[in-house]
Each structure stands twice: as structure tokens, then as C-alpha cells.
């Protein structure tokens, strides 16, 4: 989510590869530019994007089924199953964030990104919080709970007034995170009539906000659907080097401005739980991994699908390797390092950001920030190697 990000052209930078990642191959290093066309990379990227969004929708619908079972019969078991389904679906959505930042269907002027994944969230905008049992639209029976109304209320009169998307669902399933050692612990009885005021509205809200999330995800996926004459993919797939430039912008901006900056640096500086991405479920460490993985997916042209199959084709790495094998290898090593660094971030993230500046936990988060920052510079170098001289990337 944008809070104070600005567009900027990143300076070029070098990277020193560490031996631990030296085994990462550049498969297309021997290819020539005449054997691989920019169009091949762009078209495979479109295929990968559609596959990732399709898997996200499938996983979100599985989450919807689990939430429905929970709402029909609230219990600890059904609540736990709904929570796990949310976590499972986030694994796929997190990888799609590499498809942002270039005025595509997810975050152009009319894009639903703000309804899908806006954060940080003021919990009291939606439901009760400690110290205020009557807070939120759920406890205001004058406000209708419909998809249109919730969409209208999202970020109304304030960017933290979030009423829709992944994190609104997350808050409803977990509640406020008041623990130093684990996630939120909203009791399932919040959804049982007679156990908590406005339980009926709480059930309605969770049902409707989940439906809206799936609608929004589907609207984005439809713009990447193959075989259409007038959707975004139809034009993007014919865009050649301009579309390649957009792909680079997406990866570089997620690397530096959003993931390293907005999602990690801000929380490191504030040490505030409210600045972590998935604060109610304590899933922030996995958000970082899936974002980093999404970048690697696009770079390599490889994506592991929900059914376990692997989608493979020409990625940015192959196009860069056809022009400059050294730049391709250097960027591949740094991206692999970023994924490994993100995987090493301790959980829970809200505790990892506490303590002394030189603590072991903070050092691991800082290592991820440093790797992603260098990665964005390497992506600029890689783009330059294929004739793209400037990338307007999002920087903090």
C-alpha cells in the first residue's frame, strides 16, 4: 500500500555475490537475441500472471467455503480451519504483488488493489476493540452490510479506514493481536447470537467482505484472461519492449519501494505492531517470503501452481542473458539471496522488530532489506543491458 512512496529513477549499483548462491544457473546464457524475442518473454509473463491470479482465486474460494462452514456452525475447530484457509490463500496472493506498479489492472486509476490488500488497518473502524465495545460499523446497525456499501466505506475519510480485503477478513478471523508470543485470539463466540452483541452483523460482514474480495480478484484475473480481444492482456502481449519495461518496473518497485521500504523499513524504524503487514495473524514473515518469491518467479519465468505443477517458460533472466550473461547471473544470485534472506526472518515479526538495533532478529530483517535494495539496483542494470535506460521505480 502507498503511504508516502514517490516515483524515482534508481541509480545503477553493483553487487557482490556470496558463495552460498553460486550454484544458481543462468539457463539461457548461451542463447542469442535472435533465438528469443521480447514478445516470447512478454507472452509467457502474461500466462504466468493469469495462472497465479487463477490459483489465488481458487484458494480464496476454498477459504470462502471454510468461512461459510464457520459461520454456519461457529466453533474453535471451524474457526481454526477458516484461519488456515486464509493463510493458505495468502501464499498465492503474495506472489501476485510482483504484477503491480506499472498502471496495470490491479492498481491503475480504477484498479481494486486498495479494496483487496490495503493496510495498515484501524480495527476500530470495523468492530469492537479493547476499550470500546461499541466501535465500528458492525456495531452501528444503521449501516447496511452490502458489497457496495463496504466498498464505498473502504478508506473513507482516512487511508487506515479499511473495511474490505484480505486484512479486514484477517481481523474478523483473528481479532486484535494483543499477545507478545502469538496472533490475535478472537473467540469464536463473537459470531454466536447471545454471546456477543451484533453477532448477526459480524457473520454478515465476514460473509460479504469475503464475497467482495473474490469479485475483485476475479475482475483483475479477467483482464489477464487469454483469447480476449479487448482486455489488458490483449494489448500488453503485443507491447514488446514497452511491456518488458513495465515488467522490470513491477519487480524493481516491489523490491525497493514496497517490500524493503514500506513493509520492512517502516516497521523496523517504528517498532510498532500496527506497521506490520499481516498483524492480526502474525503472518508478516510469510508475506515477505511470498513477495520475494513472486519477484523470482517473474525473473526466472517459473511458477509453482496450486496443483503442484510447475509453469515454465522464458523469463526476464533469459532475455537479459541473451544480451549480457554476466548481468543475468548477477541479478539471479541477488534475487535468490533475497528469497533466502526473507525466509530467515523470524516469527512473530512484531517481536522480531523489537529490541536493540544490533539484535539477531533485527539483523535478519535488515539483511533482507539490504538484499532487496541491492536487487533493485541490479534489476536496473539488467534492464540497461537490454536497452532500457531508465526505470521509474517506486522508492521510499
Amino acid at each position: 500500500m502507498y503511504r508516502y512512496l514517490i516515483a524515482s529513477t534508481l541509480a545503477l549499483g553493483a553487487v557482490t555475490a556470496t558463495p552460498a548462491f553460486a550454484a544458481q544457473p543462468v539457463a539461457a546464457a548461451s542463447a542469442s537475441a535472435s533465438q528469443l524475442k521480447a514478445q516470447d518473454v512478454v507472452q509467457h509473463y502474461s500466462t504466468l500472471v493469469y495462472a497465479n491470479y487463477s490459483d489465488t482465486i481458487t484458494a480464496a474460494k476454498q477459504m470462502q467455503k471454510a468461512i461459510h462452514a464457520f459461520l454456519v456452525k461457529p466453533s474453535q475447530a471451524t474457526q481454526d480451519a477458516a484461519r488456515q484457509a486464509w493463510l493458505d490463500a495468502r501464499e498465492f496472493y503474495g506472489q501476485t504483488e510482483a504484477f503491480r506498479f506499472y498502471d496495470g489492472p490491479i492498481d491503475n486509476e480504477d484498479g481494486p488493489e486498495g479494496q483487496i490488500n490495503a493496510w495498515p488497518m484501524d480495527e476500530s473502524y470495523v468492530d469492537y476493540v479493547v476499550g470500546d465495545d461499541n466501535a465500528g460499523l458492525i456495531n452501528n446497525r444503521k449501516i447496511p452490510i452490502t458489497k457496495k456499501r463496504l466498498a464505498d466505506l473502504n478508506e473513507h475519510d482516512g487511508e487506515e479506514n479499511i473495511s474490505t480485503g484480505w486484512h479486514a477478513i484477517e481481523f474478523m478471523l483473528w481479532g486484535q493481536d494483543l499477545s507478545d508470543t502469538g496472533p490475535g485470539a478472537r473467540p469464536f463466540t463473537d459470531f454466536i447470537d447471545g454471546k456477543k452483541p451484533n453477532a448477526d452483523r459480524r457473520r454478515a460482514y465476514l460473509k460479504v467482505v469475503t464475497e467482495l474480495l473474490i469479485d475483485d480478484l476475479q475482475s483483475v484475473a479477467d483482464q489477464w484472461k487469454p483469447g480476449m480481444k479487448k482486455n489488458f492482456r490483449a494489448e500488453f502481449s503485443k507491447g514488446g519492449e514497452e511491456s518488458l519495461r513495465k515488467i522490470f518496473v513491477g519487480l524493481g518497485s516491489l523490491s525497493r519501494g514496497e517490500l524493503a521500504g514500506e513493509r520492512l523499513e517502516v516497521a523496523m524504524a517504528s517498532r510498532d505492531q500496527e506497521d506490520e503487514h499481516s498483524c492480526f495473524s502474525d503472518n508478516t514473515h510469510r508475506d515477505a517470503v511470498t513477495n520475494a518469491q513472486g519477484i523470482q518467479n517473474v525473473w526466472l519465468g517459473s511458477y509453482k501452481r496450486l496443483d503442484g505443477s510447475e509453469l515454465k517458460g522464458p523469463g526476464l533472466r533469459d532475455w537479459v542473458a541473451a544480451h549480457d550473461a554476466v548481468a543475468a547471473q548477477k541479478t539471479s544470485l541477488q534475487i535468490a539471496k533475497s528469497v533466502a534472506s526473507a525466509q530467515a526472518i523470524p516469527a512473530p515479526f512484531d517481536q522480531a522488530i523489537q529490541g536493540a538495533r544490533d539484535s539477531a532478529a533485527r539483523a535478519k530483517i535488515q539483511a533482507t532489506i539490504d538484499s532487496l535494495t541491492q536487487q533493485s539496483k541490479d534489476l536496473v542494470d539488467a534492464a540497461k543491458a537490454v536497452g532500457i535506460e531508465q526505470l521509474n521505480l517506486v522508492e521510499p
Side-chain angles (χ1 to χ4, degrees):
M1 175 184 175
Y2 296 101
R3 283 190 288 175
Y4 47 82
L5 301 179
I6 58 172
S8 171
T9 302
L10 280 180
L12 304 182
V15 60
T16 301
T18 58
F21 303 98
Q24 292 289 324
V26 176
S30 61
S32 69
S34 62
Q35 292 172 313
L36 183 67
K37 296 182 175 64
Q39 206 74 353
D40 299 330
V41 177
V42 171
Q43 288 176 359
H44 178 66
Y45 171 85
S46 299
T47 299
L48 190 153
V49 171
Y50 184 66
N52 197 168
Y53 276 126
S54 296
D55 286 345
T56 301
I57 292 168
T58 298
K61 288 180 177 178
Q62 292 171 349
M63 175 186 72
Q64 184 181 39
K65 289 181 181 179
I67 287 173
H68 176 72
F70 169 55
L71 296 178
V72 169
K73 189 176 181 180
S75 69
Q76 192 62 62
T78 55
Q79 184 184 39
D80 288 346
R83 287 169 171 172
Q84 186 59 54
W86 186 92
L87 294 169
D88 292 343
R90 283 291 288 182
E91 290 291 302
F92 293 93
Y93 181 77
Q95 295 174 69
T96 71
E97 298 210 73
F99 316 143
R100 292 179 53 197
F101 308 107
Y102 53 76
D103 205 32
I106 179 68
D107 55 6
N108 61 20
E109 184 176 343
D110 300 317
E113 199 280 333
Q115 278 184 195
I116 290 174
N117 198 42
W119 68 285
M121 177 184 177
D122 177 2
E123 308 97 304
S124 66
Y125 186 64
V126 169
D127 200 4
Y128 78 90
V129 293
V130 171
D132 192 347
D133 289 341
N134 299 313
L137 63 92
I138 284 174
N139 294 298
N140 184 348
R141 299 193 73 89
K142 295 180 180 179
I143 299 175
I145 298 177
T146 65
K147 286 189 279 190
K148 183 180 185 307
R149 186 63 174 140
L150 293 183
D152 289 343
L153 287 169
N154 192 56
E155 297 184 320
H156 183 70
D157 292 334
E159 63 182 6
E160 294 187 6
N161 289 349
I162 294 161
S163 57
T164 68
W166 289 107
H167 300 295
I169 297 170
E170 179 193 11
F171 172 55
M172 295 307 297
L173 290 174
W174 275 274
Q176 286 179 286
D177 181 4
L178 305 173
S179 170
D180 289 341
T181 58
R186 180 193 288 274
F188 68 85
T189 51
D190 278 6
F191 296 85
I192 298 177
D193 293 330
K195 297 291 186 180
K196 190 75 174 180
N198 296 311
D200 59 328
R201 286 175 60 81
R202 206 163 281 112
R203 294 193 303 272
Y205 178 90
L206 182 52
K207 177 179 181 291
V208 170
V209 79
T210 303
E211 291 173 354
L212 180 58
L213 172 66
I214 292 171
D215 288 350
D216 286 339
L217 290 170
Q218 190 65 59
S219 72
V220 176
D222 287 346
Q223 288 298 312
W224 288 100
K225 189 175 181 179
M228 307 297 288
K229 292 183 178 180
K230 293 185 178 180
N231 65 357
F232 182 85
R233 178 174 179 163
E235 293 302 316
F236 187 86
S237 293
K238 297 183 292 187
E241 292 191 4
E242 173 57 21
S243 292
L244 282 178
R245 186 191 67 79
K246 290 179 179 179
I247 299 170
F248 272 110
V249 167
L251 300 193
S253 295
L254 177 58
S255 295
R256 182 64 189 102
E258 185 72 8
L259 182 50
E262 185 77 357
R263 300 187 179 186
L264 297 180
E265 281 181 326
V266 169
M268 281 276 279
S270 71
R271 292 184 170 87
D272 189 345
Q273 181 191 61
E274 294 298 316
D275 284 325
E276 68 163 325
H277 195 187
S278 295
C279 65
F280 312 117
S281 62
D282 275 349
N283 195 54
T284 301
H285 63 295
R286 288 302 305 170
D287 291 332
V289 173
T290 57
N291 287 176
Q293 183 63 58
I295 294 167
Q296 188 175 55
N297 293 347
V298 174
W299 175 253
L300 299 178
S302 177
Y303 164 63
K304 186 174 182 180
R305 301 210 57 179
L306 177 63
D307 63 7
S309 64
E310 189 167 5
L311 178 64
K312 291 184 177 181
L316 283 184
R317 176 193 63 175
D318 302 287
W319 183 243
V320 174
H323 296 78
D324 187 335
V326 173
Q329 178 75 348
K330 190 159 65 168
T331 308
S332 295
L333 291 170
Q334 195 63 42
I335 289 174
K337 183 177 180 180
S338 294
V339 173
S341 295
Q343 290 170 335
I345 293 175
F349 182 86
D350 57 0
Q351 297 308 302
I353 58 177
Q354 307 301 326
R357 291 189 179 276
D358 59 351
S359 70
R362 285 177 63 88
K364 289 179 179 179
I365 300 171
Q366 188 61 54
T368 307
I369 293 169
D370 294 344
S371 184
L372 290 164
T373 301
Q374 183 59 55
Q375 173 178 302
S376 67
K377 296 175 183 179
D378 291 343
L379 285 164
V380 171
D381 283 344
K384 186 177 180 182
V386 296
I388 300 173
E389 292 294 330
Q390 254 192 355
L391 292 181
N392 291 325
L393 305 184
V394 171
E395 268 196 291

